[in-house]
Amino acid sequence: MGNELDLDNKTINSWFTLLETSFLTFKLQPYHSNFNKVIVKHQNILSRHGSIVSFIRIRSQEDLELHFAKGNIFENLVISEMYKNSINNATKSITYFWRDKSQNEVDLIVETGVRLDAIEIKSAKTIYQNQFRG
């Protein structure tokens, strides 16, 4: 991200630390329990608040339906609500995402004790089999 913004990684990390400390964002860590030797080292950074959509000029449902990031916004909403729910209900769940070298991914993995639940999040009204490759 630093390269795209012409900023060094220290500056980017400082800003994300500030956002996280302010409870505006949180990091979703990659799951790694030797699932095909997954080599994803970064975290997904998510907003804790759905109000973030107002910053990207979404003012109506139609704006959201046409927005290029609709899927990412919906995924962020679902993950942040599940994250908040686990904290509020003290379920002791840990949340992750999973991605392999070939970019196959699972949007959310919820670990509760020894149980793992893999959750794929889609904003589309119609779901096709090819959306679940990997």
Side-chain angles (χ1 to χ4, degrees):
M1 179 181 285
N3 290 338
E4 293 171 9
L5 298 173
D6 198 25
L7 296 169
D8 66 36
N9 284 337
K10 268 185 157 177
T11 302
I12 298 292
N13 288 334
S14 294
W15 279 103
F16 278 122
T17 299
L18 176 67
L19 291 171
E20 193 170 15
T21 305
S22 303
F23 297 102
L24 295 173
T25 64
F26 66 98
K27 292 178 184 170
L28 191 61
Q29 300 294 333
Y31 184 83
H32 52 82
S33 183
N34 206 9
F35 268 173
N36 300 325
K37 297 193 178 196
V38 176
I39 309 177
V40 172
K41 305 241 185 221
H42 74 280
Q43 311 97 4
N44 283 348
I45 298 172
L46 301 159
S47 167
R48 287 186 191 266
H49 305 285
S51 61
I52 196 75
V53 298
S54 65
F55 291 113
I56 52 177
R57 304 209 191 303
I58 295 177
R59 304 284 188 241
S60 68
Q61 183 174 344
E62 183 178 87
D63 289 348
L64 179 60
E65 288 295 326
L66 299 173
H67 199 277
F68 72 93
K70 175 179 128 182
N72 292 342
I73 293 167
F74 184 69
E75 182 179 319
N76 187 97
L77 173 70
V78 171
I79 293 172
S80 67
E81 289 303 311
M82 292 185 76
Y83 179 81
K84 289 186 275 186
N85 188 48
S86 73
I87 290 172
N88 292 332
N89 292 321
T91 58
K92 309 271 191 237
S93 295
I94 304 170
T95 54
Y96 305 96
F97 74 97
W98 177 83
R99 185 176 302 126
D100 69 8
K101 302 182 258 193
S102 302
Q103 300 302 306
N104 296 310
E105 70 174 15
V106 174
D107 295 326
L108 184 64
I109 293 181
V110 179
E111 180 179 33
T112 309
V114 295
R115 179 182 168 148
L116 287 178
D117 293 310
I119 301 169
E120 186 63 23
I121 301 164
K122 298 293 180 204
S123 65
K125 293 178 182 175
T126 305
I127 297 177
Y128 300 99
Q129 186 65 34
N130 67 352
Q131 292 174 317
F132 296 95
R133 67 177 175 78

